[in-house]
Amino acid sequence: MALELERTCPECGSETFYRAASTTVHLGEKVKWHCTDCEYGFVQIDGIDSSTA
């Protein structure tokens, strides 16, 4: 279980996100990620990213 994710934030350009929460739902694992420098966040469900879906 990774606690950090390296990815470019579309709001501020930061390179690091932290794992804010996770739970298991009927579709798989739901993970909320938040940028370390701003308020931008996104959700992944079973590896599928909400910001690109």
Side-chain angles (χ1 to χ4, degrees):
M1 165 180 12
L3 299 177
E4 290 189 348
L5 176 70
E6 289 191 25
R7 175 180 169 159
T8 304
C9 177
E11 295 290 321
C12 70
S14 175
E15 295 288 326
T16 307
F17 282 80
Y18 68 92
R19 185 181 191 127
S22 68
T23 189
T24 301
V25 294
H26 67 282
L27 297 172
E29 184 181 25
K30 176 182 174 183
V31 180
K32 291 182 180 181
W33 296 97
H34 286 276
C35 178
T36 56
D37 293 338
C38 71
E39 295 297 317
Y40 181 81
F42 67 94
V43 174
Q44 282 183 329
I45 298 178
D46 204 28
I48 298 172
D49 188 341
S50 67
S51 65
T52 60

